[in-house]
Amino acid sequence: MNLFYKIITFRPSFGLRIVTGLVGIVLSLAICGIVGLTDMVAAQLKTNDEAFEGRLMEAGAKVYFEQCARCHGLQGKGADGAAPAISSIAFLGAQNTNPPTPSQRLKDIGWIGSLESYIEAVTTSGIPIKSSQAWEQNHPPFAQRFAGPLRDDQIKNVTKFVANWRLKPFTDGVVDAPKPGAGSGPQPTPMPLGPKENAGLEVFKGAGGCTACHAVRGVAAGAVGPTLNKLVSTAEKRVTQADYKAAGGKATDAAGYIRESIVAPNTYIVPDCPQGACPSGVMIQNLQQILKPEELENLIAYLMTLR
Amino acid sequence: MAIIGQKLVRQIRETGWKATVAQRTDDAFTRFTAGLTWDDVRGILRGDPPAKPNPRVKPHTEGFWFHIRPTFYHEAVTTLYPTFRLGYLSALFFLIETITGMFLMIFYTPSPERAFTNMIDILTNVPFGSFMRDLHRLGAEAMVVVVTLHMWRTYITGSYKKPRQFTWFTGVVLLIITMFLSFSGYLLPWDQLAFWAVTIGTSMADAAPLVGREVNLLLRGAPDIGAGGLLRFYLFHVLLFPLIGIVFLGVHYYKVVRWGISLPPELEAIGEDTARKVDQTKRVMFMPDIITNEIMYAAVAMAILAVSAATWYTAPLETHSNPQVTPLHTVAPWYFYWLQGLIKIPHILPFPDTLNFINKPVDDFFALVGLTPKMLWGIVIPPIIIVLLFAIPYIDPNPSRRYKDRKIAIGLAVAFELLILYLSLGGIPTGVPGTGFGYVGGNPVVEVAQEFIPDEGESEVKAIPYDQLIVGKYPLANDPAIDERNAPRLREIVRAIYADIEHRKHTADPLGKKMPEEAEGDVQVKLLQENLKEFIITIRYIDENQAPQTFSKNAYIHKNSDYR
């Protein structure tokens, strides 16, 4: 208590005041000098810049997986009929080659700006005209000022994320090319549709609600369930597979397999959806009740044309 | 011009050019200091006794800057006790905030499109930018502390009593202005911390009866905080509140010239005020003693602040504000924790069951006049506290300033302080660590993930060195299959998550919730791209409806992002 009293009633001498004050001023100035030196000479600013570039890219990754991966895929490899690859060497070029490979895509469409500006522009405003018949729909606008869901800073961040694939791009994926019908991947063989098949196509697009999840080149661009372009040949192969039989599959031909997949979709879960392994239980379970018997028959007839 | 020239030539001719330069310089210097010659200032800084008549009082009567400082103090108030220099330090922090604030203003635009980008620019492109921001933020927090302590000191020494009632009144205004300045500055970085702290703060106004909605609209410029709200808070922060602050600071300071600093209570007769009736032998002149003292305090405070900002303190910056995503455990600024505590009062009452016989009738009564408990505690009580603060000098009937005569007043103050402390602790969103007091957490599974990958702010997971994030899937275990030598940090985190889950299985949280017995999980590290990895915590458990559930939470980690 005595010591406390001494401290709070201590009267610093004149000299002590001047010396302490000087020490304080010199120390403050020294700190300013050190901060200035580390910022400008020791490139602290550059380190900060790289750190924030990284953090913004992390934020961009979040946006990518929430908004873009739905169509472009978890690895950016695209989905047939839905969206092209954006992690491929054809789209991005590459920086792990010597010399760096330029982007084929920018060359094809004659874009004179940078890759980043292209990604940002397309994400912001979408693609105004069709450059390819390979896709059901044009790239939609994502910026809030174009009635999309994303703020401009989010678009800048996701651009950083996508462009970062350039360091080590994939060599596969669904390539986008400006010539009509030049998209890669399997395409359905064109088949003439009779009245029954045409009615089935209407069910496919309408009452069945199939287009929401499935892709068929020229008809639908859903990216949740498996792509149906080569459905019949896939089905014919599948009914002979051991794991299909082990899972309880009873069909012996393609038509039976397709019927089973519609009325009892959980019998066998196929492994190859656009976004990786197909999810179980996502396909509508009661289509047999929703559709009239003749609608179901027409639908199967239409699906049998996808060879 | 010609005449001045002629005079100069004549003077040089008569006294020689050296004496002329010396005389003219001293003349300019004397005009600058409002009456002190170079020799006077030198004498002040050397501690020499003044000449007679004392020239050192001239700046107080003739200059602007010193006319709001007294010419002398009583020697009893020049030690640390009784003032602790808190008022002076408050003004000093106001000055520091103004200077650093003007620096930051240069690089800032109050618009939602630009603000957050500006913050990053300040940190990555502006020399001294992050230093100035740290100084500004730390100075603001320190200013809230110092101003509050200043009020407590004034109360404890009874210095608000006659004739200083109005000084106290202006002081309460300055306290509120300080809080508002700090709070309005909170929004400007436009990150998640800013957005949600201010959303919470202004929504309190929303709960007020009758005018709440209108006040909220005026503050935010729209039902929700957006471009209008940001601009308004910016204008409050850089224009309105500083202007009000400067006016009241001027009045407050002038009152010190008029009445002096009140002496320690034991030195005066009861009911008398002798701070301006000081015997010649007890006077300590402003120059040289007080001014050197103040320069010393300013220099030391500035040095402490600068060292702190340059070393241990970093002003927080979370991710870009997002009105669609409320981060878990959103917080108000710490100096409003007591308000959060008030709103949470049903959660933090001691012996809630025992006190229910008071609590319930009170709630029922207020329900009759249309007040919910939240409105009562959040809206009715704080204005009452503020009005009481203003009224203290006018309702205190005790003329004595002596401590032994003011047992009730000081006892009440200590009780009030303890109450505020209690409410503040209860207002901490995650409760007081280790006690569960004030805890309002949710599902233990979510809380585990939040602990290691919080929605915002510092995170242990993000601080793992990038090269230790070895790609793979690691089931949670006490001895995970991770090489101690390659990835000690990763191993430690996986073990810590496991230990946390096991701990929560045996120990219920303060709300009685336990981690389900079967809960287990894994940590997965994925390489998404070159230099970019994903860290995923997955927890699988059986919920109360016996349905299997999976919860996972992830973090993206870039090689350079440097969270430490």
Side-chain angles (χ1 to χ4, degrees):
Chain A
M1 207 60 208
N2 202 16
L3 178 70
F4 177 70
Y5 185 76
K6 269 189 183 158
I7 290 173
I8 62 171
T9 55
F10 174 66
R11 207 178 289 274
S13 71
F14 197 84
L16 184 60
R17 272 178 256 160
I18 295 290
V19 170
T20 318
L22 276 178
V23 168
I25 291 169
V26 169
L27 189 57
S28 305
L29 289 176
I31 292 288
C32 286
I34 292 168
V35 169
L37 285 177
T38 44
D39 272 5
M40 285 177 280
V41 181
Q44 180 64 40
L45 285 178
K46 195 165 166 286
T47 315
N48 291 355
D49 200 23
E50 283 167 4
F52 273 99
E53 200 66 13
R55 294 182 195 188
L56 294 178
M57 199 185 291
E58 291 166 7
K62 195 167 171 353
V63 174
Y64 181 86
F65 291 109
E66 282 170 7
Q67 299 285 345
C68 315
R70 218 179 301 148
C71 293
H72 287 294
L74 292 172
Q75 293 185 304
K77 290 185 181 179
D80 194 44
I86 48 172
S87 59
S88 68
I89 194 163
F91 179 70
L92 296 167
Q95 290 191 342
N96 57 348
T97 58
N98 192 15
T101 316
S103 159
Q104 183 61 37
R105 172 69 180 165
L106 297 194
K107 204 175 150 200
D108 284 348
I109 59 168
W111 181 268
I112 51 171
S114 67
L115 176 71
E116 281 87 350
S117 68
Y118 179 66
I119 299 173
E120 199 181 320
V122 169
T123 317
T124 301
S125 61
I127 294 180
I129 53 161
K130 274 201 176 180
S131 62
S132 157
Q133 294 307 313
W135 315 109
E136 238 345 88
Q137 56 173 9
N138 287 345
H139 195 287
F142 274 85
Q144 283 177 353
R145 57 200 156 101
F146 289 83
L150 297 180
R151 300 185 311 266
D152 286 358
D153 65 288
Q154 290 176 309
I155 290 177
K156 284 205 159 57
N157 295 346
V158 82
T159 301
K160 288 184 208 296
F161 173 80
V162 172
N164 191 48
W165 260 311
R166 232 180 335 178
L167 298 180
K168 209 174 175 183
F170 293 108
T171 48
D172 54 346
V174 186
V175 174
D176 194 11
K179 293 180 209 77
S184 75
Q187 299 186 28
T189 317
M191 294 271 291
L193 302 184
K196 193 169 155 77
E197 285 83 6
N198 260 325
L201 176 59
E202 291 312 310
V203 177
F204 186 79
K205 292 202 278 194
C210 315
T211 54
C213 297
H214 294 282
V216 172
R217 177 72 46 88
V219 177
V224 178
T227 303
L228 304 179
N229 286 332
K230 293 285 179 192
L231 177 59
V232 176
S233 39
T234 311
E236 278 163 356
K237 249 180 271 161
R238 186 146 292 143
V239 290
T240 64
Q241 275 170 224
D243 64 331
Y244 169 69
K245 287 179 182 142
K250 294 189 185 66
T252 52
D253 60 354
Y257 175 80
I258 293 171
R259 182 184 300 276
E260 184 183 70
S261 301
I262 296 172
V263 301
N266 275 4
T267 311
Y268 177 78
I269 306 293
V270 303
D272 44 357
C273 277
Q275 300 185 49
C278 291
S280 158
V282 170
M283 171 104 172
I284 300 167
Q285 305 285 317
N286 56 345
L287 274 171
Q288 202 168 14
Q289 284 91 53
I290 293 173
L291 300 178
K292 293 177 200 130
E294 72 194 67
E295 284 180 335
L296 185 61
E297 295 309 318
N298 293 343
L299 178 61
I300 293 169
Y302 164 67
L303 291 174
M304 283 299 285
T305 67
L306 301 174
R307 289 174 185 274
Chain B
M1 191 64 212
I3 296 169
I4 297 172
Q6 278 176 9
K7 275 190 178 171
L8 185 65
V9 169
R10 195 181 308 139
Q11 190 183 2
I12 292 174
R13 215 175 273 154
E14 284 167 8
T15 60
W17 68 269
K18 263 188 190 171
T20 307
V21 170
Q23 193 270 332
R24 294 265 165 152
T25 314
D26 206 33
D27 205 37
F29 188 84
T30 307
R31 244 173 276 162
F32 183 75
T33 57
L36 294 182
T37 64
W38 169 245
D39 281 337
D40 290 331
V41 172
R42 193 158 161 268
I44 290 168
L45 292 176
R46 286 163 56 101
D48 296 340
K52 277 187 184 169
N54 188 346
R56 294 171 187 176
V57 295
K58 262 195 200 160
H60 293 279
T61 52
E62 294 184 8
F64 172 74
W65 295 108
F66 284 99
H67 90 284
I68 50 167
R69 308 310 314 276
T71 47
F72 62 86
Y73 287 159
H74 190 292
E75 67 171 11
V77 298
T78 56
T79 54
L80 259 187
Y81 175 80
T83 65
F84 297 93
R85 295 297 180 281
L86 293 166
Y88 173 69
L89 284 179
S90 306
L92 176 73
F93 277 117
F94 190 81
L95 182 70
I96 293 174
E97 290 305 289
T98 309
I99 294 170
T100 52
M102 285 197 288
F103 179 94
L104 294 172
M105 256 172 108
I106 299 172
F107 305 99
Y108 181 79
T109 320
S111 111
E113 284 83 34
R114 304 277 326 139
F116 186 75
T117 319
N118 285 160
M119 298 316 292
I120 293 179
D121 278 346
I122 288 173
L123 299 181
T124 60
N125 262 327
V126 179
F128 296 103
S130 77
F131 181 59
M132 284 292 173
R133 182 167 130 77
D134 292 348
L135 276 181
H136 193 70
R137 181 67 179 249
L138 186 62
E141 314 246 345
M143 189 171 160
V144 173
V145 175
V146 169
V147 171
T148 314
L149 287 176
H150 180 46
M151 186 191 75
W152 280 104
R153 191 285 296 175
T154 311
Y155 184 87
I156 298 293
T157 60
S159 305
Y160 57 86
K161 297 196 178 189
K162 196 184 168 198
R164 295 188 183 77
Q165 298 100 321
F166 192 67
T167 319
W168 170 271
F169 185 93
T170 56
V172 177
V173 173
L174 286 170
L175 173 74
I176 295 170
I177 286 292
T178 306
M179 296 255 180
F180 278 7
L181 268 172
S182 193
F183 184 64
S184 58
Y186 230 81
L187 183 65
L188 305 189
W190 203 243
D191 59 347
Q192 282 287 68
L193 177 69
F195 186 87
W196 289 102
V198 174
T199 298
I200 293 173
T202 48
S203 68
M204 286 182 195
D206 201 23
L210 301 177
V211 292
R213 210 180 131 261
E214 276 64 31
V215 168
N216 205 25
L217 270 180
L218 278 176
L219 282 176
R220 293 180 175 179
D224 290 311
I225 293 173
L230 179 57
L231 183 59
R232 279 166 204 216
F233 270 70
Y234 177 73
L235 292 175
F236 288 150
H237 188 69
V238 305
L239 213 61
L240 181 67
F241 294 147
L243 275 181
I244 301 175
I246 286 169
V247 169
F248 277 86
L249 198 64
V251 176
H252 200 72
Y253 253 87
Y254 180 72
K255 292 289 168 189
V256 179
V257 180
R258 179 69 187 82
W259 300 113
I261 291 177
S262 69
L263 305 185
E266 59 278 9
L267 289 190
E268 290 178 320
I270 291 171
E272 270 184 35
D273 184 75
T274 51
R276 288 309 287 168
K277 299 171 195 137
V278 184
D279 190 76
Q280 282 290 348
T281 58
K282 304 246 171 186
R283 287 186 184 185
V284 175
M285 299 307 287
F286 190 83
M287 294 187 214
D289 284 302
I290 307 300
I291 193 165
T292 47
N293 228 316
E294 289 186 345
I295 291 172
M296 175 184 78
Y297 278 105
V300 170
M302 197 54 235
I304 293 173
L305 201 64
V307 170
S308 305
T311 53
W312 59 269
Y313 184 80
T314 309
L317 184 68
E318 296 185 347
T319 55
H320 193 291
S321 78
N322 188 347
Q324 267 101 45
V325 179
T326 318
L328 202 58
H329 303 324
T330 304
V331 289
W334 57 266
Y335 43 84
F336 287 139
Y337 277 2
W338 62 277
L339 262 174
Q340 284 200 330
L342 267 178
I343 292 172
K344 271 162 65 181
I345 220 162
H347 291 282
I348 61 168
L349 275 183
F351 325 112
D353 301 328
T354 332
L355 284 180
N356 229 1
F357 76 96
I358 315 177
N359 214 8
K360 202 176 167 320
V362 172
D363 285 354
D364 288 348
F365 172 74
F366 281 104
L368 278 181
V369 287
L371 284 172
T372 61
K374 183 187 164 189
M375 278 157 78
L376 170 68
W377 296 115
I379 300 302
V380 179
I381 301 291
I384 291 179
I385 293 177
I386 290 171
V387 170
L388 277 179
L389 276 182
F390 277 121
I392 282 174
Y394 304 102
I395 56 178
D396 182 356
N398 186 353
S400 173
R401 290 180 52 224
R402 305 221 168 144
Y403 302 122
K404 65 174 170 33
D405 298 336
R406 301 180 63 232
K407 287 187 183 121
I408 296 173
I410 292 176
L412 278 176
V414 171
F416 182 71
E417 176 70 335
L418 290 176
L419 181 67
I420 289 283
L421 193 69
Y422 179 83
L423 289 172
S424 294
L425 289 176
I428 300 174
T430 48
V432 183
T435 64
F437 177 63
Y439 182 86
V440 287
N443 182 345
V445 178
V446 179
E447 292 296 327
V448 169
Q450 168 76 6
E451 201 173 316
F452 290 92
I453 309 180
D455 289 353
E456 291 292 340
E458 286 175 17
S459 135
E460 286 185 66
V461 164
K462 286 194 166 186
I464 300 175
Y466 186 79
D467 54 3
Q468 290 194 26
L469 289 167
I470 298 168
V471 174
K473 196 169 186 176
Y474 311 105
L476 294 176
N478 195 28
D479 187 21
I482 302 166
D483 194 338
E484 175 90 58
R485 283 159 302 176
N486 296 341
R489 242 353 250 154
L490 177 65
R491 190 184 147 86
E492 218 170 289
I493 296 284
V494 172
R495 290 188 56 186
I497 300 172
Y498 174 77
D500 195 18
I501 291 179
E502 291 303 311
H503 174 74
R504 284 172 196 258
K505 283 180 187 174
H506 308 303
T507 328
D509 72 16
L511 299 179
K513 280 181 246 168
K514 264 189 185 177
M515 174 72 73
E517 268 304 316
E518 320 74 12
E520 47 90 31
D522 56 60
V523 158
Q524 201 181 349
V525 179
K526 280 188 193 167
L527 180 69
L528 294 179
Q529 294 177 342
E530 201 68 1
N531 297 343
L532 188 68
K533 287 176 181 168
E534 185 182 9
F535 185 103
I536 313 165
I537 299 176
T538 307
I539 302 172
R540 288 172 290 273
Y541 63 103
I542 311 285
D543 70 6
E544 57 267 33
N545 304 325
Q546 305 307 318
Q549 299 285 353
T550 307
F551 177 82
S552 55
K553 191 162 187 180
N554 68 349
Y556 303 104
I557 305 172
H558 190 272
K559 188 181 174 192
N560 296 336
S561 59
D562 191 25
Y563 293 97
R564 266 172 303 153

